[in-house]
Amino acid sequence: HLFSLLLTLLKTADLNCVYSPSDTSSYSGRDLLKYCINCALKREEDVHVLGFEVPEQELRSELDSNNKHLFHFHNAYSDPLGWRKQSSFTVEQFSAENITRLVRETKHAKASVLVIDSLSWIERHHNPVAICQQLHKLKKGGAIRTICCLLHMDLHQQGIVESICHLANTVITVTAVNNALYAEAKTTHRKKSGKVMQEEEFFTVMENLSLSIEKRPSQSGHAQVHSDAKVDPASNLTFNLRLSEVEREAKEKVALPFVFSQEKKSALLKKGQGSGRIIYEPDANDDFDEEDPDDDLDI
Amino acid sequence: MFPELNSILSSSPENFTEGEFILLSDRQADASFLIHHYLTFYLRARCRVCFLGLVQSFSHYSVVSQRLGVNLTQAKEKGQLVFLEALKASPGVLLGDESSDKTAALDYLRSPCPELRGLYEFVWNSLSRAGGEDAAESWGPPVLIIDDLSVLLSLGVSAGAILDFTHYCQATICSQLQGSMIALVRCDDEEYDEDEESSNYLLKALSHQCSLSLRVEGLSTGYCRDIHGQVEIWWRGRGMKNQRKIFQYKVHDKGASFFAPGTSRAVL
């Protein structure tokens, strides 16, 4: 089970990985991001967050309280463009150099974890190529050991999503299942040997940021493992287009008007009482052939 | 405001969630009845409202609100409502009339200025003062209503600039001031491609940020006199808190009624 394997990896040391939870608006990858942050805090690592999309309190909630002093939130939410002249971190400052300096300012010498929430926000203001370059520099730099970025797949063209995912050793794509009661995670992990492993699993994030992982979603009242490929056109209508069993039988019994069935054939071949007869008197020009022209037909 | 919608959303002028970002959207339908609902709702709740009227005149909303029992002119005079009448002020800005005090807010009309910073500053100035000069009137949390964001795309503002603007509004009004924000995005069916400057893209991006989404659509089976359309209400949250429900609606002269699909009085 790759996902669970990965999460075990997250709990232990792992060098220079870029994890990238990718999500769409139907299910937010932020819970998974918070889970990654929590794992790092439990391992007593410094976590530096570039927070663009949600305020600090939203990210801090539910995190492990023992090591909260290791959690450094660089506020890029309140004033990312400098409009209010009270910015802490602006989007302009996104560069390997600036981030490395920020991270080195903390007293611990241990290499840190960098969390970016989100890359999609930064992509609106920076060239995607430049972003990839900076991430690559950070990866090689040494000050940061693990980079974990959130990317909203549905907001970018496929090429951009692929370039960023290419940089990552691990990409976890989350989609909603059964109205987001739980989610499906498609994990692609590229090992140092070059081998690529892929896995699909289902999970839910609980209240205390613990994960519950299953190979198959739990069978609740209206759970669906995979959505059916065929779309039923008679569903979701405000009137009934379906047939009950009785109605279906009656429908089968109806003789269609132009189908040549056994009953029709015998009715036609039978001579009815007082039915009309055709009397034909051939005149001189007619080439009247007594033979039945339909003789060769096998009726 | 519509009492039936209040009960569906479990909110009332006396008791509503603070710090909400409510996203209204429509596709082949008109969701502006929801704008009228929220405008009258928050005025009734004694909140300070900043209304960015980018597509209709003040009198339009005033007439409708009158039918819903709220006097907009009075609210404006009391200082409870700040109304930006963009249509009226636009010619002045476009023709370079410097005397208009709304020039900064409508800066986006003057290309090549791509930012909505001026508009944001107008919103901030309107809502940041707690209660205004008259200290006797203390209003509730601030509320921003935008009707609508799609027209800004048509006026040449980039989707990125609009998202920066909504980001700042959310950061200051919702997170900092614990107020609420309601924005309408109108979509066309033709823009189904990967275009990053379309209303569809804007809708997707804002869906990530909102706490509540109301999507209005026409019925898939076509026009119906008694059912004007359906609205999908999406409470965004984690696990059980994430709920989606669909209701059909009909707009009347003095309100709107909401009912479960298939239970319209015309059908039952």
Side-chain angles (χ1 to χ4, degrees):
Chain A
H1 297 251
L2 184 61
F3 195 35
S4 12
L5 167 71
L6 213 58
L7 295 170
T8 330
L9 280 175
L10 274 173
K11 292 195 176 106
T12 57
D14 205 340
L15 246 75
N16 275 328
C17 267
V18 179
Y19 297 105
S20 177
S22 314
D23 66 4
T24 59
S25 59
S26 61
Y27 187 86
S28 173
R30 191 161 291 110
D31 282 341
L32 207 56
L33 201 71
K34 282 171 81 163
Y35 180 82
C36 294
I37 295 175
N38 223 19
C39 289
L41 288 177
K42 287 189 175 145
R43 278 195 321 264
E44 295 195 1
E45 294 181 340
D46 273 299
V47 177
H48 289 264
V49 179
L50 293 186
F52 287 89
E53 279 194 15
V54 295
E56 183 171 353
Q57 59 266 37
E58 199 175 314
L59 218 51
R60 238 185 215 273
S61 68
E62 295 170 306
L63 291 183
D64 189 63
S65 45
N66 292 327
N67 290 324
K68 269 194 168 164
H69 62 285
L70 296 172
F71 178 79
H72 309 277
F73 184 86
H74 302 283
N75 185 6
Y77 174 75
S78 310
D79 195 5
L81 301 170
W83 287 4
R84 301 181 64 192
K85 309 219 171 31
Q86 26 169 280
S87 10
S88 185
F89 189 90
T90 64
V91 73
E92 285 302 311
Q93 291 176 287
F94 176 76
S95 71
E97 216 182 291
N98 285 331
I99 294 170
T100 310
R101 190 165 9 101
L102 262 181
V103 165
R104 292 224 157 100
E105 272 166 16
T106 51
K107 296 186 189 97
H108 284 236
K110 236 161 124 184
S112 319
V113 176
L114 174 69
V115 174
I116 303 181
D117 179 15
S118 67
L119 271 184
S120 297
W121 211 105
I122 300 176
E123 196 270 340
R124 284 211 314 265
H125 292 271
H126 282 279
N127 191 325
V129 173
I131 296 176
C132 289
Q133 286 174 337
Q134 299 306 317
L135 284 177
H136 190 76
K137 274 191 200 160
L138 283 169
K139 219 171 134 174
K140 299 284 179 216
I144 312 258
R145 202 198 64 195
T146 310
I147 308 175
C148 191
C149 314
L150 181 58
L151 184 71
H152 303 303
M153 286 184 318
D154 55 353
L155 298 184
H156 307 284
Q157 289 176 355
Q158 208 177 352
I160 295 177
V161 174
E162 283 176 10
S163 323
I164 292 176
C165 290
H166 191 72
L167 273 178
N169 294 66
T170 312
V171 178
I172 307 171
T173 308
V174 292
T175 38
V177 177
N178 195 9
N179 195 30
L181 270 181
Y182 41 86
E184 184 186 1
K186 290 200 179 110
T187 312
T188 307
H189 179 62
R190 191 172 51 219
K191 296 167 96 163
K192 285 193 202 67
S193 59
K195 182 176 173 196
V196 176
M197 296 164 71
Q198 287 190 315
E199 188 66 78
E200 282 178 21
E201 278 148 315
F202 298 90
F203 72 98
T204 32
V205 178
M206 312 296 203
E207 280 307 312
N208 55 346
L209 279 188
S210 60
L211 282 188
S212 152
I213 303 168
E214 294 134 55
K215 189 68 183 152
R216 222 182 312 269
S218 49
Q219 300 296 318
S220 61
H222 20 250
Q224 264 187 295
V225 177
H226 292 287
S227 54
D228 292 323
K230 253 194 311 186
V231 173
D232 183 6
S235 59
N236 296 327
L237 290 176
T238 53
F239 44 86
N240 184 20
L241 274 184
R242 292 200 173 93
L243 298 170
S244 67
E245 274 311 304
V246 175
E247 288 168 336
R248 194 182 300 278
E249 279 175 36
K251 183 186 165 195
E252 301 292 330
K253 287 212 177 84
V254 170
L256 294 173
F258 298 106
V259 167
F260 197 63
S261 66
Q262 194 59 35
E263 290 92 29
K264 285 226 173 87
K265 182 176 159 188
S266 44
L268 283 172
L269 292 176
K270 219 173 21 178
K271 251 201 191 161
Q273 285 181 347
S275 58
R277 280 188 312 162
I278 299 170
I279 301 165
Y280 183 66
E281 297 283 346
D283 63 20
N285 294 326
D286 265 324
D287 182 11
F288 192 68
D289 189 354
E290 283 291 343
E291 260 180 50
D292 182 3
D294 293 324
D295 221 350
D296 53 358
L297 284 178
D298 180 22
I299 299 178
Chain B
M1 63 177 191
F2 312 138
E4 283 178 39
L5 186 57
N6 283 346
S7 65
I8 290 171
L9 296 174
S10 308
S11 66
S12 68
E14 297 80 36
N15 181 11
F16 56 90
T17 322
E18 294 185 356
E20 283 219 283
F21 174 10
I22 301 172
L23 180 64
L24 306 175
S25 61
D26 61 30
R27 185 182 301 282
Q28 311 225 307
D30 190 354
S32 41
F33 68 100
L34 292 174
I35 291 276
H36 296 297
H37 161 79
Y38 278 109
L39 176 57
T40 47
F41 177 94
Y42 283 108
L43 284 174
R44 279 257 179 87
R46 292 186 52 80
C47 291
R48 207 138 181 275
V49 176
C50 174
F51 193 98
L52 301 183
L54 307 178
V55 291
Q56 296 278 11
S57 63
F58 175 77
S59 49
H60 169 85
Y61 299 99
S62 189
V63 164
V64 178
S65 298
Q66 199 78 24
R67 286 197 222 130
L68 297 176
V70 171
N71 188 332
L72 287 196
T73 315
Q74 218 175 57
K76 206 158 85 153
E77 279 162 13
K78 281 194 291 187
Q80 187 190 9
L81 171 67
V82 177
F83 197 101
L84 174 69
E85 244 190 301
L87 288 179
K88 207 161 119 181
S90 297
V93 174
L94 283 168
L95 297 172
D97 178 9
E98 293 299 327
S99 60
S100 164
D101 61 342
K102 298 283 192 295
T103 40
L106 300 178
D107 239 356
Y108 57 87
L109 287 173
R110 293 197 262 232
S111 61
C113 179
E115 293 186 317
L116 291 174
R117 187 174 177 172
L119 191 60
Y120 165 71
E121 264 152 31
F122 172 83
V123 167
W124 174 245
N125 291 332
S126 315
L127 292 177
S128 58
R129 285 167 294 147
E133 291 83 46
D134 189 352
E137 296 273 27
S138 64
W139 305 111
V143 173
L144 170 66
I145 305 180
I146 309 170
D147 182 15
D148 60 57
L149 287 174
S150 305
V151 74
L152 291 171
L153 282 174
S154 316
L155 290 171
V157 184
S158 69
I162 298 176
L163 291 171
D164 287 339
F165 167 72
T166 52
H167 176 98
Y168 266 87
C169 290
Q170 190 178 14
T172 47
I173 298 168
C174 302
S175 303
Q176 189 184 328
L177 300 176
Q178 288 297 298
S180 296
M181 181 171 141
I182 295 100
L184 172 61
V185 176
R186 310 201 62 189
C187 297
D188 252 328
D189 255 340
E190 286 114 49
E191 301 167 331
Y192 253 30
D193 47 50
E194 297 279 319
D195 189 5
E196 281 193 352
E197 288 303 319
S198 68
S199 278
N200 279 315
Y201 169 75
L202 206 57
L203 183 62
K204 274 192 273 193
L206 291 172
S207 300
H208 278 279
Q209 296 299 109
C210 71
S211 50
L212 177 65
S213 155
L214 281 86
R215 283 200 198 194
V216 177
E217 279 186 12
L219 291 179
S220 55
T221 45
Y223 173 75
C224 170
R225 195 187 54 198
D226 296 296
I227 305 169
H228 291 157
Q230 68 178 38
V231 52
E232 181 204 62
I233 304 180
W234 182 17
W235 290 267
R236 295 190 81 237
R238 181 197 288 176
M240 292 307 293
K241 290 203 204 119
N242 197 83
Q243 295 255 6
R244 282 206 218 220
K245 285 201 184 143
I246 294 187
F247 291 89
Q248 291 177 339
Y249 70 90
K250 181 179 178 178
V251 180
H252 322 293
D253 195 37
K254 293 208 176 187
S257 47
F258 296 80
F259 35 89
T263 62
S264 158
R265 248 161 275 164
V267 171
L268 287 176

